[in-house]
Amino acid sequence: MRVEGSVKTVILGEIIFPIVLLIFGIYHGLMQVLYRAGVIKDMSFLGIEYYQGLTLHGVINVIVFTTMIIVAFGNAVFLYYLKKPLRPVVQWVSFLLMVVGTLMAAWAMFAGKANVLYTFYYPLIAHPAFYIGAALLLVGSVIPLFFDWIPNYIAWKKEHPGEKVPLAVFGMLVNHIMWVIMLVPVVIEVLFQLIPVSLGLIPETNPSLSRTLFWAFGHPVVYFWLLPAYVMLYTILPKIVTGEGKLYSDSAARFAFLLFVLFSFPVGLHHQYTEPGITNSYKLIHAFFTLGVAVPSIITAFTVAASLEYSIKSKYPEVRNSLFYWWTKIPYISLEGDKWLVSYFMAGLLLFLVGGITGIVNASYNLNLVVHNTSFVPGHFHTTVGGLVTLSFLGISLYMVSKLMGKDIRFKGLAVIAPWLWWQGMLIFEYAMSVAGIHGFPRRTNTGISYLNPESPLYRPEWVGYAELTVLAGFIIVLGFVFWAISFFGTIFSPKVRESTIEFPTAPALHDEKAPALNRLTPWFVVSVLLFVISYIPAIYDVTKRGVFFDSPGYNDKSPVPITKPQSAKEDQRNTAEAK
Ligand code: HAS
């Protein structure tokens, strides 16, 4: 399908802008492993402080990059499958809001006025520009849903009575409606707690409420990142794996998306198992729902595996009777046609298998007490959002850019190796972080100047080897990203060879039942919102028992102790030596 004009420019902007920022995001990831292993023994490097870099790493990678790529992919999916135009005004307003918002938040972070990490809940407090910027980004991201996607979806349904909406549209629509619902608690937190404190309108606010509202958004958001990757796994992967493959079951895919609608929301308390102000039994209820939200991923694992098996066995009769041997026929590394994308999905799936297992460990209430706030948790999420999600998004970004710009993919060899380097690096990282985490290695700590500093009284030699392993992993991951970036920017700057189009290889379904219950969204969303509200009433009651605005001062450079400037480890040593 030909795409020209503003819509093409906007979609390209929604891909290229966050990817330029991602370079900074990934750089600060590398800095993290260097700080933590003590390769950089300081509070800051090149003028960027440790927590400032950690904030940039998290916000750019999991808030800006994911949100904008999801909007870009959603726009392309609606355009291609519904064959209905997107409105240029809507697209421009959405894109500009996201860009302006991101730049405001970026200014606050780069200026060191928002060292609040990507979870940004109270008592950490940032400059108002950070919150207003984040709000603009989020508002911009929902505009296409209301003014392009839903109107086009309704028009399509009228023109195709009794037909099922294409699966990719179904998945992206469900995902974005979930996005709007999950934004409600975090918007309340930002509007009524964080912005007023940040502007000095109120002196203090309720941190337990802030954390609870944040996590009511903060877990569902991981499925907002995941579902677009699942859309790709269900529609694109089975097709390109052989060129003529099929999705094993359309209904299983739709059912999985709908289970996410039900179970993504009543789970946020699993981030607060150690929060003293919330009654344990409510946390246990959220623990059960969390195990429930793993079910659609297990369905996905089986459906994707069945689709791969069917597709491979149809193409290669010699492996038709094999139990496992057919896995070897998957084109893990192939330059033929669109098969290069297979490497992104397969590397992502293999990482997500680990991410799923570690997620279940986190979710199990009692095991969580061992791993909470240790490096086990970043180990987990670098194989989920940093694994399957990032790899799918990098792959699809390169794919969409080449189609939209009418260019051939340059340095395809590097593009195919990139996800495997990423995979290898992340596996090593995950191993080191998880095992060290079980031994108590903390997360979000500049361990190089404390626990891993032989001169510190806090020194813990048993963590050193693991931290050093993460440095090796960090370099492998960055190398993978550099390979991908060479291909991405090489493609952008190469000459145009075709007209600009957007199209997605799409697998037809082998089993394609009508299943009307799976195609009426309203009842599922009604039950979902009810579950969300009911599951949170007791927790909100608990954390507001002492008053909605009960006082607790924000944590900033004047509280709890005035900080004049961050002290470096070198200065520390000098002062100690002088004192001696
Ligand atoms: Fe999580 C913390 C529980 C999924 C992201 N998670 C986080 C944080 C992030 C995150 C960012 O219960 C840190 C937040 C912070 O900063 O504090 N998570 C889970 C559970 C799941 C889960 C039960 N998480 C995700 C996904 C994420 C993500 C997805 C991003 C996209 N997570 C937790 C908990 C915490 C947590 C606690 C809090 C920890 C704490 O104490 O702070 C589940 O949804 C996972 C289900 C997944 C599966 C895997 C299915 C496997 C598939 C692959 C199939 C492979 C194939 C190929 C077909 C059951 C689909 C096979 C090939 C072969 C050759 C074998």
Side-chain angles (χ1 to χ4, degrees):
M1 174 183 184
R2 272 193 76 217
V3 190
E4 286 299 347
S6 321
V7 171
K8 174 181 128 184
T9 314
V10 167
I11 300 181
L12 280 172
E14 286 165 348
I15 298 170
I16 296 169
F17 174 73
I19 278 167
V20 171
L21 283 178
L22 189 66
I23 296 171
F24 289 97
I26 288 188
Y27 161 77
H28 285 295
L30 184 64
M31 288 300 107
Q32 275 301 304
V33 289
L34 297 180
Y35 275 118
R36 284 171 59 85
V39 179
I40 300 174
K41 271 194 170 39
D42 213 330
M43 283 288 286
S44 62
F45 184 71
L46 296 179
I48 303 256
E49 200 260 332
Y50 173 80
Y51 283 108
Q52 190 182 4
L54 185 52
T55 306
L56 282 160
H57 176 56
V59 172
I60 293 175
N61 293 12
V62 303
I63 298 186
V64 178
F65 170 68
T66 51
T67 306
M68 290 186 87
I69 298 292
I70 290 170
V71 174
F73 180 58
N75 276 328
V77 160
F78 273 78
L79 194 61
Y80 173 65
Y81 287 100
L82 298 188
K83 304 277 181 292
K84 295 200 171 295
L86 301 174
R87 294 152 191 80
V89 182
V90 171
Q91 292 299 320
W92 275 114
V93 171
S94 152
F95 177 56
L96 292 177
L97 280 176
M98 290 196 285
V99 170
V100 172
T102 301
L103 292 177
M104 282 176 75
W107 169 79
M109 289 185 290
F110 277 109
K113 293 174 189 297
N115 296 353
V116 289
L117 309 180
Y118 82 102
T119 43
F120 63 81
Y121 46 68
Y122 197 72
L124 295 183
I125 203 78
H127 189 281
F130 177 80
Y131 303 116
I132 297 169
L136 293 181
L137 169 70
L138 303 181
V139 171
S141 73
V142 300
I143 285 181
L145 172 73
F146 290 112
F147 299 102
D148 264 336
W149 301 359
I150 291 182
N152 287 0
Y153 168 78
I154 294 173
W156 187 93
K157 292 275 276 183
K158 276 197 191 128
E159 290 162 18
H160 300 80
E163 278 183 45
K164 287 196 285 191
V165 71
L167 180 61
V169 172
F170 181 87
M172 294 308 288
L173 183 67
V174 160
N175 195 39
H176 238 69
I177 300 176
M178 282 172 51
W179 176 230
V180 172
I181 298 172
M182 72 185 76
L183 285 178
V184 174
V186 78
V187 166
I188 296 175
E189 183 206 5
V190 169
L191 285 186
F192 297 103
Q193 294 198 286
L194 301 178
I195 292 186
V197 177
S198 166
L199 287 172
L201 301 177
I202 52 171
E204 303 176 348
T205 190
N206 177 341
S208 303
L209 177 62
S210 170
R211 277 195 292 273
T212 307
L213 290 171
F214 179 83
W215 285 121
F217 154 83
H219 196 81
V221 76
V222 310
Y223 300 114
F224 172 65
W225 304 329
L226 182 69
L227 264 50
Y230 278 9
V231 166
M232 299 172 211
L233 295 179
Y234 282 131
T235 57
I236 301 176
L237 175 62
K239 173 78 178 175
I240 58 176
V241 75
T242 60
E244 58 226 34
K246 288 191 175 175
L247 165 66
Y248 189 75
S249 164
D250 176 88
S251 301
R254 284 174 205 253
F255 185 52
F257 286 130
L258 292 170
L259 287 182
F260 278 113
V261 171
L262 290 187
F263 294 138
S264 293
F265 299 102
V267 294
L269 292 189
H270 70 223
H271 291 263
Q272 293 172 277
Y273 287 148
T274 54
E275 175 100 36
I278 301 174
T279 308
N280 289 347
S281 45
Y282 308 144
K283 296 177 189 165
L284 190 63
I285 293 170
H286 279 232
F288 287 134
F289 277 120
T290 307
L291 297 176
V293 79
V295 172
S297 286
I298 294 169
I299 295 178
T300 303
F302 282 105
T303 311
V304 170
S307 308
L308 292 174
E309 180 172 4
Y310 173 83
S311 306
I312 293 286
K313 287 188 172 177
S314 315
K315 172 97 177 176
Y316 304 102
E318 67 273 21
V319 292
R320 200 161 278 166
N321 295 323
S322 79
L323 207 51
F324 297 114
Y325 186 65
W326 61 269
W327 283 102
T328 61
K329 294 284 182 191
I330 291 178
Y332 298 97
I333 295 186
S334 169
L335 300 183
E336 188 194 326
D338 291 329
K339 284 188 182 159
W340 62 273
L341 252 179
V342 172
S343 44
Y344 287 79
F345 297 134
M346 288 313 295
L349 277 167
L350 289 168
L351 283 175
F352 194 57
L353 210 51
V354 182
I357 295 166
T358 49
I360 308 275
V361 170
N362 291 339
S364 311
Y365 199 163
N366 48 351
L367 290 182
N368 181 274
L369 304 179
V370 177
V371 297
H372 182 65
N373 271 346
T374 70
S375 59
F376 190 90
V377 175
H380 158 67
F381 67 72
H382 280 81
T383 49
T384 52
V385 65
L388 175 62
V389 171
T390 305
L391 284 176
S392 307
F393 288 13
L394 291 180
I396 209 69
S397 300
L398 179 54
Y399 175 87
M400 288 200 291
V401 158
S402 93
K403 293 285 169 202
L404 284 166
M405 298 183 93
K407 300 184 174 186
D408 280 337
I409 290 176
R410 299 298 310 276
F411 306 106
K412 223 178 184 181
L414 294 184
V416 170
I417 295 169
W420 292 112
L421 283 170
W422 187 280
W423 168 80
Q424 184 59 76
M426 279 303 177
L427 269 191
I428 297 174
F429 181 80
E430 155 65 354
Y431 164 76
M433 295 289 272
S434 288
V435 180
I438 292 167
H439 289 101
F441 190 39
R443 67 182 288 202
R444 293 180 156 174
T445 307
N446 188 350
T447 44
I449 55 171
S450 53
Y451 300 109
L452 299 196
N453 180 1
E455 286 152 41
S456 163
L458 301 170
Y459 184 52
R460 295 286 295 266
E462 70 272 28
W463 293 337
V464 172
Y466 297 115
E468 285 171 354
L469 213 48
T470 66
V471 174
L472 170 71
F475 279 106
I476 299 175
I477 295 165
V478 169
L479 187 64
F481 181 70
V482 169
F483 278 19
W484 174 87
I486 292 173
S487 174
F488 183 79
F489 289 105
T491 304
I492 288 182
F493 293 115
S494 66
K496 184 169 174 166
V497 291
R498 290 183 300 275
E499 62 177 16
S500 300
T501 57
I502 191 68
E503 62 205 28
F504 293 107
T506 310
L510 179 64
H511 298 285
D512 197 8
E513 298 81 10
K514 268 205 169 316
L518 300 181
N519 289 288
R520 290 181 45 231
L521 293 180
T522 317
W524 295 88
F525 275 105
V526 170
V527 178
S528 153
V529 171
L530 282 176
L531 264 181
F532 193 14
V533 172
I534 294 169
S535 73
Y536 264 97
I537 288 174
I540 298 284
Y541 170 77
D542 270 358
V543 294
T544 52
K545 255 195 284 204
R546 290 164 57 202
V548 176
F549 294 109
F550 87 78
D551 294 346
S552 174
Y555 181 87
N556 57 30
D557 56 2
K558 293 178 196 62
S559 163
V561 261
I563 296 173
T564 41
K565 76 178 178 63
Q567 217 175 19
S568 76
K570 279 186 212 121
E571 262 176 285
D572 237 2
Q573 282 165 6
R574 220 178 14 249
N575 293 345
T576 326
E578 277 165 18
K580 278 182 192 161

